[in-house]
Amino acid sequence: MLKAMLGEAWLAMGANRLRTALTMLGMVIGVGAVVIMMAIGQGAQYAVQQTISTMGSNLFIVLSGSFTASGVRSGSAGAPSLSVADGEAIAELDGVGNVAPTHQGTRQLVYGAQNWSSQVIGTTPSYLETRAWNIVNGAGFGDSDVRSATRVAVIGKTVAENLFGAEDPVGKTMRIQQNPFLVIGVLGSKGQNLDGRDQDDTVIIPLSTAQRKVFGTPFLGSVRMIMVQADSAEAMPKVMDSVTSLLRQRHRLRDGMPDDFFMRNLSAAAESEAETTRTMSILLGAIASISLLVGGIGIMNIMLVSVTERTREIGIRMAIGARQKDILSQFLLEAVMISFAGCLLGLLIGLGVALGINVFTGMVIVISGSAALIAFAVAAGVGIFFGWYPAQKAAQLDPIEALRYQ
Amino acid sequence: MTESVIRVVGLGKSYETAAGLFPALKGVNLDIQPGEFVAIMGPSGSGKSTFMNLLGCLDTPTMGDFFLAGKNVAHMDKDALAILRNRTLGFVFQGFNLLPRMTLQDNVALPLVYAGVDKEMRRARARELLGKVGLGQYAESLPSRISGGQQQRVAIARALVNAPRLILADEPTGNLDSHTSEEIMRLFGELNAEGITIVLVTHEQEIAAHAKRQVKFLDGEIVSDLATDSLPFMAQRAGIPLGKGRAGDGMGAIGADAETHPLAEATKQPTKPPGNGGQVSAYPSLPLVPGDAAPAGHKEGGVPC
């Protein structure tokens, strides 16, 4: 029965090829648009997620406050209000994972005849853990290096390429601010951050070494910035609150006095970025869905015309014993077949175009099986939804009227 | 007495029109036994088309009962009626009504699709019946490739495909020339001889003469119901003046006769036992009036609405 009906639906589709093709075109464009838009949207989301994951998750930073001298205010982190001891106290708080005090600045690096300006970060070993950064060559420094302010450095990939070229940097000695540093490790690549800055253009050295030999500091033990990682995204607001009250207490600030430090939520910025791309991808999908809807309406339109045109045929079928459900399923099947064929074609064309965009523009494209499945389900749904009314109309025809129809 | 194929008791059908309720059929009674060959006649608007639609289970009556092979179908739902149309009846139309995109074989097999018969059986049965109507060699052709008479044969094959006990034919020769009409009527005669009950609607006395019983409708009522061999042959011939009988605008002399006939209002059983076609076989040799060859203006208006 089903096979016979499929054959008939095929015949009916073949009876007016141009019309069937045009009807299918609506679905092809609709499904194609959905596939392309989803590929682009998910690609953008993927790209943002990649960037975020290089930064580390659930992060916020505490910056030392500004100071005012003769009416001139320094920027943030101008006053030496934070100390390494503050960092150690923060690490004791509930919900806090890693804490890494940092002191950073840009310095000229020299190795042999080469020199290169790069960001130098003085910090503790937990910094790498906080940023989820691994070492691909050599090793990192330990707490003992921080305590004894040894002159060792871990360098980023960009630094390694520019300063050492093809040489293996590990074991070589380079100079920062005239001080010789032993390169003990090379970091894995992280690429650009959300601002577009190259994260691999970095040298990481022990905090104490940085303060004493590279940047210098007015008060030993003070630090410009502390990076704090919460255990979970949910714990972030609570941790930030408790850090604020802890620091106010440690700095002996009375009620009404302003904070002598700043806090910035890094993850929030990243998450809002992710939210933006997610919204964009939903928007793209929604716009593409409209074309799918229009394609569905096209199917409905043609099926209505087809029912009117074939009124007499319906009458004949009824006269020789077709039940209402036979007529209904015949027209429904036709609508679903057009919809499915259009969907399949749209899927192929959509994938082709998405791959083309990837190849020619280098845009990140994510093609997921679930997107294809959704497109198929939607196509079947569209076929049934928009085919239902015309099929119902056909099935409800009065056999006598239908037979008399010219 | 055997069970009637068709038993109609006080069957009526009214239509809603702008002018009020129009009674197209005013409570008719009729009994048709297995193996009968009945011609239903009457002018446009006489209710015969409405009656045929009811017999064909295409429509439901507004009053009365209709027993088809013993089952009352007057109050059945649409799907049950569809199954009856599929299994119990065979339909032959004036316009052949083959589906143009299907091969003849597929056309003949179509009722079997709705009966849920598998493909091999459908094919074999369709071939068998096309062979029976003499068109076996055209099984893979499309309807447009064959003549009208041949298309009507295919339509008859389609009507027979589910082995029904009853064939209903609505002006089956209306679109055919006289020679082809004779062939089609001969085919009906053969089927009747095999025991299939045939009820056909026609305008033409020559066609009706093939039947063993003639039932005449006028204004929604049966006005005469006679066995064909009880009708005086000469009076029948004389009753079809050239031109008048063709126009279908009146019942001709026979109709006039019938109104005064003592049996006019009766729904009397034909006196002849079913299956005896002896008298009927004389009619195909009737000389045809040349003017009969191309009947025109034949389309029945059916029910005014």
Side-chain angles (χ1 to χ4, degrees):
Chain A
M1 184 81 183
L2 184 71
K3 222 174 136 192
M5 289 180 72
L6 277 173
E8 280 191 34
W10 182 249
L11 263 181
M13 282 169 70
N16 202 333
R17 287 197 185 82
L18 180 64
R19 187 201 280 175
T20 307
L22 287 174
T23 313
M24 262 167 55
L25 192 62
M27 287 306 290
V28 171
I29 291 171
V31 172
V34 169
V35 168
I36 294 167
M37 293 306 180
M38 277 175 85
I40 291 174
Q42 288 188 334
Q45 247 173 296
Y46 176 78
V48 169
Q49 273 160 6
Q50 282 298 102
T51 312
I52 290 169
S53 72
T54 64
M55 203 184 68
S57 52
N58 311 326
L59 286 183
F60 66 93
I61 52 175
V62 185
L63 294 162
S64 58
S66 63
F67 69 93
T68 309
S70 320
V72 178
R73 299 175 71 198
S74 76
S76 62
S81 59
L82 285 179
S83 66
V84 175
D86 284 337
E88 281 160 4
I90 289 169
E92 299 298 315
L93 289 172
D94 273 352
V96 173
N98 291 303
V99 174
T102 64
H103 195 144
Q104 62 195 55
T106 303
R107 289 294 181 270
Q108 205 70 15
L109 314 175
V110 181
Y111 172 72
Q114 291 293 337
N115 72 100
W116 181 253
S117 174
S118 182
Q119 184 190 42
V120 176
I121 301 174
T123 185
T124 57
S126 59
Y127 179 82
L128 293 184
E129 218 174 302
T130 310
R131 303 261 337 248
W133 213 340
N134 54 341
I135 289 167
V136 291
N137 185 7
F141 52 83
D143 287 325
S144 61
D145 291 302
V146 179
R147 276 195 299 277
S148 48
T150 53
R151 284 177 285 199
V152 292
V154 175
I155 61 175
K157 197 166 139 271
T158 306
V159 175
E161 280 166 6
N162 284 289
L163 217 51
F164 296 93
E167 282 182 69
D168 180 6
V170 177
K172 303 290 189 314
T173 302
M174 64 174 182
R175 281 178 293 131
I176 309 173
Q177 295 272 93
Q178 317 307 324
N179 293 297
F181 279 78
L182 178 68
V183 178
I184 56 170
V186 178
L187 294 162
S189 178
K190 269 189 180 293
Q192 295 183 353
N193 71 357
L194 288 175
D195 306 332
R197 214 183 59 225
D198 181 6
Q199 299 182 84
D200 296 329
D201 195 0
T202 298
V203 174
I204 295 171
I205 56 176
L207 178 67
S208 47
T209 318
Q211 287 176 328
R212 285 173 206 170
K213 309 282 184 191
V214 181
F215 303 116
T217 183
F219 303 100
L220 213 56
S222 78
V223 64
R224 279 179 168 177
M225 185 175 108
I226 300 172
M227 192 175 266
V228 184
Q229 184 175 38
D231 284 338
S232 66
E234 294 75 45
M236 283 281 280
K238 210 176 121 257
V239 170
M240 286 175 80
D241 281 349
S242 49
V243 168
T244 305
S245 52
L246 176 80
L247 290 179
R248 285 185 69 86
Q249 199 185 338
R250 283 179 61 88
H251 298 176
R252 298 191 177 82
L253 299 172
R254 285 188 299 275
D255 287 347
M257 282 174 71
D259 289 346
D260 62 350
F261 52 90
F262 300 97
M263 278 205 287
R264 280 186 209 146
N265 187 340
L266 297 181
S267 301
E271 266 151 30
S272 77
E273 183 90 2
E275 190 57 45
T276 308
T277 49
R278 204 157 34 237
T279 309
M280 181 188 85
S281 121
I282 289 170
L283 205 69
L284 285 176
I287 291 168
S289 310
I290 291 173
S291 52
L292 200 60
L293 191 76
V294 173
I297 292 170
I299 289 182
M300 184 154 163
N301 206 350
I302 288 303
M303 290 312 291
L304 280 173
V305 171
S306 173
V307 167
T308 308
E309 261 187 9
R310 287 155 69 190
T311 299
R312 197 174 170 78
E313 176 194 325
I314 294 164
I316 296 168
R317 287 175 183 276
M318 284 178 161
I320 62 173
R323 284 158 295 176
Q324 290 193 331
K325 68 169 189 193
D326 295 325
I327 302 291
L328 183 82
S329 36
Q330 181 192 342
F331 280 88
L332 212 51
L333 201 65
E334 235 178 274
V336 171
M337 265 176 81
I338 291 176
S339 178
F340 250 84
C343 177
L344 197 65
L345 214 59
L347 207 62
L348 291 177
I349 290 174
L351 291 181
V353 171
L355 288 176
I357 289 174
N358 179 263
V359 168
F360 292 110
T361 70
M363 195 185 271
V364 182
I365 291 294
V366 174
I367 290 159
S368 59
S370 66
L373 264 179
I374 289 169
F376 254 114
V378 165
V382 163
I384 290 171
F385 183 80
F386 288 102
W388 183 265
Y389 176 68
Q392 187 69 20
K393 214 180 146 192
Q396 298 290 347
L397 281 175
D398 176 41
I400 299 168
E401 293 292 322
L403 274 171
R404 216 175 270 158
Y405 187 85
Q406 291 301 318
Chain B
M1 186 173 167
T2 49
E3 190 182 56
S4 305
V5 176
I6 290 171
R7 191 156 74 82
V8 162
V9 183
L11 197 67
K13 175 79 182 178
S14 302
Y15 292 99
E16 298 274 3
T17 64
L21 214 57
F22 173 79
L25 205 59
K26 301 168 182 168
V28 299
N29 299 301
L30 189 68
D31 221 345
I32 296 175
Q33 297 297 312
E36 281 203 73
F37 190 165
V38 181
I40 292 182
M41 304 186 71
S44 297
S46 62
K48 63 181 196 302
S49 295
T50 305
F51 187 62
M52 276 303 270
N53 286 339
L54 290 172
L55 289 191
C57 301
L58 289 166
D59 207 352
T60 47
T62 44
M63 64 181 218
D65 286 307
F66 166 32
F67 298 91
L68 180 66
K71 277 183 284 185
N72 191 351
V73 303
H75 309 292
M76 283 188 175
D77 66 18
K78 286 185 172 181
D79 278 358
L81 291 177
I83 291 169
L84 280 180
R85 292 197 292 269
N86 188 242
R87 314 276 160 89
T88 318
L89 300 175
F91 255 109
V92 179
F93 303 91
Q94 178 175 2
F96 323 134
N97 279 348
L98 300 176
L99 296 184
R101 287 193 303 268
M102 286 189 173
T103 63
L104 299 185
Q105 178 176 297
D106 287 343
N107 261 292
V108 172
L110 194 56
L112 295 174
V113 172
Y114 295 121
V117 175
D118 72 60
K119 194 176 177 180
E120 282 313 307
M121 284 283 285
R122 291 204 301 264
R123 184 185 295 267
R125 180 80 179 141
R127 291 262 183 191
E128 179 194 335
L129 282 158
L130 279 173
K132 186 182 169 87
V133 299
L135 292 170
Q137 71 273 33
Y138 296 116
E140 303 293 344
S141 307
L142 291 175
S144 54
R145 307 286 295 180
I146 59 174
S147 72
Q150 288 171 323
Q151 287 191 43
Q152 194 61 301
R153 284 170 178 276
V154 175
I156 292 170
R158 180 178 66 187
L160 290 170
V161 78
N162 263 331
R165 297 158 68 185
L166 173 65
I167 297 276
L168 298 174
D170 191 358
E171 304 262 11
T173 59
N175 288 6
L176 301 174
D177 63 47
S178 60
H179 179 69
T180 319
S181 297
E182 280 303 315
E183 283 179 5
I184 294 295
M185 290 316 294
R186 214 172 291 136
L187 181 56
F188 277 125
E190 285 164 19
L191 295 175
N192 182 238
E194 287 173 20
I196 296 173
T197 310
I198 293 171
V199 178
L200 68 88
V201 166
T202 184
H203 263 75
E204 295 166 73
Q205 198 58 55
E206 288 82 2
I207 298 301
H210 286 267
K212 296 174 198 165
R213 179 181 171 191
Q214 299 184 12
V215 176
K216 300 201 176 180
F217 275 75
L218 186 66
D219 295 335
E221 290 169 347
I222 293 176
V223 292
S224 102
D225 182 356
L226 296 168
T228 301
D229 56 4
S230 73
L231 294 169
F233 178 70
M234 286 316 291
Q236 195 179 354
R237 292 300 306 149
I240 313 164
L242 275 174
K244 191 182 180 191
R246 298 272 63 76
D249 56 356
M251 298 191 62
I254 286 296
D257 273 354
E259 275 167 41
T260 56
H261 197 283
L263 298 173
E265 296 293 329
T267 56
K268 186 184 159 290
Q269 294 304 307
T271 47
K272 249 162 61 69
N276 181 349
Q279 190 67 31
V280 173
S281 58
Y283 285 102
S285 60
L286 271 175
L288 283 157
V289 183
D292 285 354
H298 253 257
K299 204 176 165 299
E300 274 292 291
V303 182
C305 49

